[in-house]
Amino acid sequence: MRIPLDISNEIPLYRQIENWFRTNIQSGSLPAETKLPSTRELANELGVSRITVKNAYTNLESDGVVYTREGSGTYVSPPIPDLGVRPPIQPATWPLWQMEVEDDYAIEPAPPYLSPSDTIAFIGVGDPREFPLKEFARTVREVFDHDGIEALEYGGLHAGYPPLRETIAHILASQGIAARPGEVLVTGGSQQALALVCQALLKPGDTVLVEKPTYNFALELFRSLKLKITGIPVDSQGMQVEYLEPVLQKQHPRLIYTIPVFQNPSGMCMSISRRRQLLELAARYNVPILEDDFVSDLRYEGRSLPAIKSLDPGGQVIYTGTFSKMLMPGLRIGYLLADGPIFDRLLRLKWVQDLATSNLMQHVLDTYVTVGRYQSHVRRSTRLYRKRRDAMQMAIRRYLPAGVTYAVPHGGLFLWLRLPEGMTCTELLPKAMHQGVEFSPGTRYFPDPDEGLPFIRLNFATHTPEEIDEGIRRLGKAMRDA
Amino acid sequence: MRIPLDISNEIPLYRQIENWFRTNIQSGSLPAETKLPSTRELANELGVSRITVKNAYTNLESDGVVYTREGSGTYVSPPIPDLGVRPPIQPATWPLWQMEVEDDYAIEPAPPYLSPSDTIAFIGVGDPREFPLKEFARTVREVFDHDGIEALEYGGLHAGYPPLRETIAHILASQGIAARPGEVLVTGGSQQALALVCQALLKPGDTVLVEKPTYNFALELFRSLKLKITGIPVDSQGMQVEYLEPVLQKQHPRLIYTIPVFQNPSGMCMSISRRRQLLELAARYNVPILEDDFVSDLRYEGRSLPAIKSLDPGGQVIYTGTFSKMLMPGLRIGYLLADGPIFDRLLRLKWVQDLATSNLMQHVLDTYVTVGRYQSHVRRSTRLYRKRRDAMQMAIRRYLPAGVTYAVPHGGLFLWLRLPEGMTCTELLPKAMHQGVEFSPGTRYFPDPDEGLPFIRLNFATHTPEEIDEGIRRLGKAMRDA
């Protein structure tokens, strides 16, 4: 049987085999009672492991598509009911209300999920190869043994698994943010925290102040909620707070969104005096601050500054953090920290949005994360990523034209490059992809995308120094083409 | 050491022990260099297992709160920095914007999470004791072995893990709903599916039509989005569609929300002729239908009717389903099925809301669930819950006053009882709790809560026939008190 397999495809091989049989059995190409090759034969033929073929056969059999005759082999089952393959509907026949579904905010299409397998992609968050997979898998077993079925129940309608909320409060305390567990709300990643805050505080047409550049998915969220977005420029000391007051006076924004540490994408930190100034202005003009602390632990040099939240006498700042960047993004667990009447409102919104975040994942995370373990994970990541940042700087000096400029970030994940005069990220990207290197174009990070044309964001944490060297070499080639 | 432990508390015992030490070390009651009892001693004293005490000590040690001297024992560490205990802020000092945070929709407080341990609570969803924990734990191991780190990455910004979307399409096909994987969007439980649909289609002030009574958390969601809610009464054939047309003409609703099978809370099914009528009216008045199929598989007698979605020539109906009721609610995985332009809009909203649903949980679910295994799980649950429904009916005849009436549901999880003339659920509930039995009051299920005063909802699936008998006996006592 010549089953076409695509090893670069994200669909597992066993599933590709399974699908091939399913399609050919349904279409009648493999009629009932056809004998399938033995798992050994097919594995040899396809050059895959026997387990892979076995997995495919087991699934087909458990769905009744094939059956096994003891001591004889595997056969196609008698015809099964139509599995619902139907022709696509013509767009002209959509019901009227669907034709009115306009999309009046532009979201950039997600980057293609499958890049050619040898592309060096300076995108994403941490390096998945560094995740403590074995230790984590052991923790999952522990949770099943220890908490049993409890971990698989809803876990009740509350702000999160109580021990995890305590753990988060302890971790925050170790970073100088005095948090009571009762002020912690567990969310589906920090993206959900942002969405909840916006939905609790803003309505369509309201203005939100952001740094420019800023986190692209915050921008997409604000656009989807039909907010007006005003950008305040960032320099090497973070948001240029001196531009803030006239905007506060004129535009009456309802929220200030800031990433004060290792800002995404610029990598810069807000100075302590600006932090105080920002707090003071926010209080004077009665505007809440949303402080997004996505990666402040990953500091490679210098001293950490107090979070804006920790300077807040009470209730002005809503703080959000995440475990995604430090541990496993697939968990989708973040949190926010809020005190005052807003906490209850956020909690209620969380309930109606999705009732709760996966209780199992919360149990696992809480068992896995202790303050000590968290800090040792951070120390390890810091050592590793600092080297990679330095490797990228070295490669940039070596391979990129002199016109490329950037400020060195003291932590985090990103280098934010200004391209040589006259070059744009949108013309560079296809050339770079052609050379086998990917970056995130600057246009994603500005309220007005055109302002981002001269910039690209490189994630230095996802690749080894050798891969970084090769990737930047390719980028240099792409720049010479551009 | 006299450590107060509360075994009915959801906080695990090891964590209670840990917290007790933490508090007493921080407060200074246990000064530095105090020797802790050995794990054996403390376990004996508290009547818990030694593992429990060890877990507590390990956590304290990994956080640096205590330390071990080789061959000597465990001691309190020298003072550690303040862990951030601070006095609560006075409400009067909240910043101005917080004082403006009004809560103009009423959400009922969640039921107390901890009921006295001997209360028989006829609430919740399935019976957690029936969850296939071991098999599931094995699946998690398989996923780690097979998919490795891939399961812990973001998994990309798409509509869900592709093999899971295929599996869902296959399961739906086996239920007669022709679905293409490309029309499946994986969500954080079906609650998130409802929230996404509302956010994609409705704005504050728009009208949504619902059955009355209907699912309480759909009502809470609609209230939180400041929608106008109009209820259409339900009888033994489901939503009384004959009342629909005048409402469509007068109120121009933007969405019809229906639970056509084993409706929550009434347990009734919508007849096939009403389904067709509903579709026709929706098309004529250009209103989308949201079909919530939360539990249609759990059928105890009679023949299943085609989903409204399966009667839809295309694009009129958005369908949502969930694995929570059948498998493990702690997973928080549901899905919606939509075709046409609305699908892309829902997908984009999902991205900006929380980027993605836990990739790990999607891998695990997909590995665990095959069509065959799903159907055998459903068969098992059906046998079990049918017996429990019958046990509850028998107990009702035996223990409850004759004035109690209800229609027998042919499937699902709930009995919807009308109380004897003059009795209300709100006066009955405290008396029932006092007798050690809990139910869900009817007021939660009506747009106008007062309409629900004569009703209570009983979940018959969460307890054994013996427990059901005892619970209904207690309920009978409470009714005689009322």
Side-chain angles (χ1 to χ4, degrees):
Chain A
M1 305 218 163
R2 300 185 46 188
I3 303 181
L5 295 182
D6 176 1
I7 55 164
S8 73
N9 194 311
E10 69 163 341
I11 299 175
L13 291 176
Y14 76 98
R15 188 62 77 129
Q16 293 185 39
I17 297 170
E18 191 188 324
N19 288 348
W20 186 90
F21 276 109
R22 229 180 257 282
T23 309
N24 283 279
I25 291 170
Q26 267 180 254
S27 72
S29 318
L30 294 175
E33 308 305 340
T34 306
K35 185 173 180 181
L36 270 52
S38 75
T39 53
R40 187 188 306 271
E41 276 164 34
L42 189 58
N44 279 340
E45 195 184 322
L46 299 176
V48 301
S49 82
R50 226 175 128 190
I51 299 283
T52 302
V53 178
K54 266 196 183 156
N55 278 335
Y57 281 20
T58 307
N59 283 351
L60 289 167
E61 192 174 353
S62 73
D63 291 355
V65 177
V66 303
Y67 69 98
T68 307
R69 271 186 226 150
E70 216 35 72
S72 158
T74 305
Y75 295 82
V76 175
S77 303
I80 50 164
D82 174 30
L83 276 184
V85 178
R86 60 192 162 87
I89 299 162
Q90 291 305 309
T93 65
W94 294 127
L96 210 56
W97 66 268
Q98 284 244 24
M99 300 198 211
E100 289 165 9
V101 172
E102 14 79 86
D103 256 309
D104 44 6
Y105 71 96
I107 198 170
E108 240 186 309
Y113 186 61
L114 300 171
S115 332
S117 56
D118 62 341
T119 291
I120 296 174
F122 293 127
I123 57 175
V125 282
D127 184 347
R129 293 167 295 190
E130 297 299 323
F131 290 142
L133 182 63
K134 275 199 183 144
E135 226 184 326
F136 186 76
R138 193 162 53 235
T139 306
V140 174
R141 282 201 299 278
E142 264 173 58
V143 166
F144 278 115
D145 292 349
H146 190 280
D147 304 341
I149 206 67
E150 194 194 290
L152 289 170
E153 298 187 53
Y154 271 119
L157 276 178
H158 44 51
Y161 178 51
L164 178 61
R165 295 170 73 200
E166 277 186 49
T167 301
I168 291 170
H170 285 155
I171 289 178
L172 289 173
S174 76
Q175 298 170 8
I177 301 170
R180 277 184 291 268
E183 297 162 351
V184 174
L185 173 62
V186 178
T187 61
S190 64
Q191 184 72 20
Q192 189 181 52
L194 303 193
L196 292 173
V197 170
C198 289
Q199 286 164 60
L201 289 175
L202 301 160
K203 55 181 192 315
D206 282 351
T207 296
V208 56
L209 294 191
V210 302
E211 285 143 355
K212 85 179 176 186
T214 192
Y215 173 47
N216 52 324
F217 275 105
L219 287 176
E220 300 294 5
L221 171 69
F222 301 150
R223 286 178 186 135
S224 85
L225 297 171
K226 304 193 197 330
L227 304 178
K228 291 190 193 124
I229 308 170
T230 298
I232 306 292
V234 166
D235 66 13
S236 65
Q237 305 290 303
M239 185 197 283
Q240 296 185 257
V241 177
E242 57 273 28
Y243 293 127
L244 208 60
E245 190 151 14
V247 179
L248 289 168
Q249 284 173 342
K250 270 215 304 243
Q251 302 194 8
H252 305 292
R254 305 286 293 172
L255 183 70
I256 301 171
Y257 171 67
T258 177
I259 311 169
V261 185
F262 311 135
Q263 204 253 358
N264 183 358
S266 73
M268 298 299 103
C269 291
M270 194 187 291
S271 66
I272 179 98
S273 66
R274 283 191 179 166
R275 286 172 200 233
R276 291 193 201 280
Q277 224 178 320
L278 176 63
L279 250 181
E280 204 191 293
L281 283 168
R284 193 179 324 145
Y285 289 90
N286 191 30
V287 189
I289 295 172
L290 173 54
E291 176 177 23
D292 184 348
D293 184 1
F294 80 117
V295 74
S296 69
D297 285 350
L298 283 185
R299 172 173 288 280
Y300 312 135
E301 54 244 352
R303 231 160 43 85
S304 67
L305 296 173
I308 304 175
K309 179 77 188 165
S310 71
L311 304 172
D312 177 16
Q316 192 71 43
V317 179
I318 302 170
Y319 173 98
T320 172
T322 174
F323 291 100
S324 299
K325 308 293 180 298
M326 310 306 302
L327 298 161
M328 290 118 309
L331 296 186
R332 305 302 307 131
I333 296 193
Y335 53 88
L336 57 76
L337 188 63
D339 40 10
I342 189 67
F343 185 87
D344 284 335
R345 180 174 252 204
L346 290 166
L347 175 57
R348 287 163 197 207
L349 270 174
K350 167 70 181 166
W351 288 348
V352 297
Q353 297 282 328
D354 67 1
L355 298 184
T357 294
S358 167
N359 197 27
L360 175 60
M361 287 296 90
Q362 292 191 66
H363 277 248
V364 169
L365 189 59
D366 184 57
T367 307
Y368 180 74
V369 171
T370 58
V371 177
R373 198 185 242 169
Y374 182 78
Q375 284 169 345
S376 89
H377 184 92
V378 168
R379 273 193 300 274
R380 208 161 52 84
S381 301
T382 302
R383 271 197 304 273
L384 188 74
Y385 295 159
R386 184 200 290 127
K387 278 193 199 130
R388 294 179 177 191
R389 179 200 59 177
D390 296 343
M392 191 173 273
Q393 288 183 259
M394 206 134 72
I396 288 172
R397 274 198 296 275
R398 188 160 166 202
Y399 298 115
L400 298 197
V404 166
T405 55
Y406 65 95
V408 181
H410 295 299
L413 307 168
F414 307 120
L415 279 184
W416 179 241
L417 263 54
R418 180 186 276 275
L419 299 173
E421 190 67 33
M423 193 185 291
T424 67
C425 61
T426 43
E427 60 169 342
L428 182 60
L429 187 55
K431 296 199 167 66
M433 294 295 279
H434 182 75
Q435 291 293 341
V437 61
E438 190 179 348
F439 58 79
S440 192
T443 43
R444 292 192 182 144
Y445 303 92
F446 284 85
D448 171 8
D450 283 353
E451 284 192 62
L453 284 171
F455 298 98
I456 66 173
R457 191 192 77 174
L458 296 174
N459 181 327
F460 53 76
T462 42
H463 289 84
T464 63
E466 297 69 35
E467 292 163 336
I468 288 172
D469 189 77
E470 172 60 18
I472 298 295
R473 195 185 62 76
R474 294 179 190 178
L475 186 60
K477 257 177 113 176
M479 285 190 179
R480 281 192 297 279
D481 291 354
Chain B
M1 305 216 165
R2 299 184 49 188
I3 304 182
L5 295 182
D6 176 1
I7 56 164
S8 75
N9 194 312
E10 69 163 342
I11 298 175
L13 291 176
Y14 76 97
R15 188 61 78 128
Q16 293 185 38
I17 296 171
E18 190 188 325
N19 289 349
W20 185 89
F21 277 109
R22 228 180 259 283
T23 308
N24 283 280
I25 290 169
Q26 266 180 256
S27 72
S29 319
L30 294 175
E33 309 304 340
T34 307
K35 185 172 179 181
L36 270 54
S38 75
T39 54
R40 185 187 307 272
E41 277 165 32
L42 189 57
N44 279 340
E45 195 184 323
L46 299 176
V48 300
S49 83
R50 224 175 129 191
I51 298 283
T52 301
V53 177
K54 266 196 182 154
N55 277 335
Y57 280 21
T58 306
N59 283 351
L60 289 167
E61 191 173 355
S62 72
D63 290 355
V65 177
V66 303
Y67 68 99
T68 307
R69 269 187 226 148
E70 216 37 69
S72 157
T74 304
Y75 294 82
V76 176
S77 303
I80 51 165
D82 175 30
L83 275 185
V85 179
R86 61 194 162 85
I89 300 161
Q90 290 306 308
T93 64
W94 295 125
L96 208 56
W97 66 269
Q98 284 244 23
M99 300 198 211
E100 289 166 7
V101 172
E102 14 79 87
D103 257 310
D104 44 6
Y105 69 96
I107 199 170
E108 240 187 308
Y113 186 63
L114 301 171
S115 331
S117 56
D118 63 341
T119 290
I120 296 174
F122 293 127
I123 57 174
V125 282
D127 185 347
R129 292 166 295 189
E130 297 298 322
F131 290 141
L133 183 63
K134 274 197 185 145
E135 228 184 324
F136 186 77
R138 192 162 54 234
T139 306
V140 174
R141 281 201 299 278
E142 264 173 58
V143 166
F144 278 116
D145 292 349
H146 189 282
D147 304 340
I149 206 67
E150 195 194 291
L152 290 170
E153 298 186 54
Y154 270 120
L157 275 177
H158 46 51
Y161 177 52
L164 179 62
R165 295 170 73 200
E166 276 186 51
T167 300
I168 291 170
H170 286 155
I171 288 177
L172 290 172
S174 76
Q175 298 171 6
I177 301 170
R180 277 185 291 269
E183 297 161 353
V184 175
L185 173 62
V186 178
T187 60
S190 64
Q191 184 72 19
Q192 189 181 50
L194 303 194
L196 291 173
V197 170
C198 288
Q199 286 164 58
L201 290 175
L202 303 160
K203 54 182 192 314
D206 282 349
T207 297
V208 56
L209 295 191
V210 302
E211 285 142 353
K212 83 178 178 187
T214 192
Y215 173 47
N216 53 325
F217 275 105
L219 286 176
E220 301 294 7
L221 171 69
F222 301 150
R223 286 177 186 136
S224 84
L225 296 172
K226 304 190 197 332
L227 304 177
K228 290 188 194 126
I229 308 170
T230 298
I232 307 291
V234 166
D235 67 13
S236 64
Q237 304 290 303
M239 185 197 284
Q240 296 185 259
V241 177
E242 56 272 29
Y243 293 127
L244 208 58
E245 192 151 10
V247 179
L248 289 168
Q249 284 173 344
K250 271 215 305 243
Q251 301 194 7
H252 305 293
R254 305 286 293 172
L255 183 70
I256 301 171
Y257 172 67
T258 177
I259 311 169
V261 185
F262 311 135
Q263 204 252 358
N264 183 357
S266 73
M268 297 300 103
C269 291
M270 193 187 290
S271 67
I272 179 97
S273 66
R274 282 190 180 167
R275 286 172 199 232
R276 290 191 201 280
Q277 224 179 320
L278 176 63
L279 250 180
E280 204 190 293
L281 283 169
R284 195 180 321 147
Y285 289 90
N286 192 31
V287 189
I289 295 172
L290 174 53
E291 177 176 24
D292 184 347
D293 183 1
F294 81 116
V295 75
S296 69
D297 285 350
L298 283 185
R299 173 174 286 281
Y300 312 134
E301 55 243 352
R303 228 160 44 85
S304 67
L305 296 173
I308 305 176
K309 178 77 187 165
S310 71
L311 305 171
D312 177 16
Q316 192 72 42
V317 179
I318 302 169
Y319 173 98
T320 173
T322 174
F323 292 100
S324 300
K325 307 293 180 300
M326 309 306 302
L327 299 161
M328 289 118 309
L331 295 187
R332 305 303 307 131
I333 295 194
Y335 53 87
L336 58 77
L337 188 62
D339 39 11
I342 189 66
F343 184 86
D344 285 336
R345 180 174 250 205
L346 291 166
L347 175 57
R348 287 164 197 205
L349 271 173
K350 166 71 180 162
W351 288 347
V352 298
Q353 297 281 327
D354 68 1
L355 298 184
T357 295
S358 166
N359 197 26
L360 174 61
M361 286 296 91
Q362 292 192 66
H363 278 248
V364 169
L365 189 58
D366 185 58
T367 307
Y368 180 75
V369 171
T370 59
V371 177
R373 196 184 244 168
Y374 182 76
Q375 285 170 344
S376 87
H377 184 93
V378 167
R379 274 193 300 274
R380 208 162 52 85
S381 302
T382 302
R383 272 197 304 274
L384 186 75
Y385 295 159
R386 184 200 289 125
K387 278 194 200 128
R388 294 180 177 189
R389 179 200 58 177
D390 297 344
M392 191 174 273
Q393 288 183 258
M394 207 134 72
I396 288 172
R397 273 197 298 274
R398 189 162 165 199
Y399 299 115
L400 299 196
V404 165
T405 57
Y406 65 95
V408 182
H410 296 299
L413 307 167
F414 307 119
L415 279 184
W416 179 241
L417 262 55
R418 180 186 276 277
L419 299 173
E421 191 67 33
M423 192 185 292
T424 67
C425 61
T426 42
E427 61 170 339
L428 181 60
L429 187 56
K431 296 199 166 66
M433 295 294 281
H434 182 74
Q435 291 294 339
V437 61
E438 190 179 350
F439 58 78
S440 191
T443 43
R444 291 189 184 149
Y445 303 93
F446 284 85
D448 170 8
D450 283 352
E451 284 192 61
L453 284 171
F455 299 98
I456 67 172
R457 193 192 76 173
L458 297 174
N459 182 327
F460 53 76
T462 42
H463 288 84
T464 63
E466 295 69 35
E467 291 163 337
I468 288 172
D469 189 78
E470 171 61 17
I472 298 296
R473 194 185 64 74
R474 294 180 189 176
L475 185 61
K477 256 177 113 176
M479 285 189 180
R480 281 192 299 279
D481 291 355

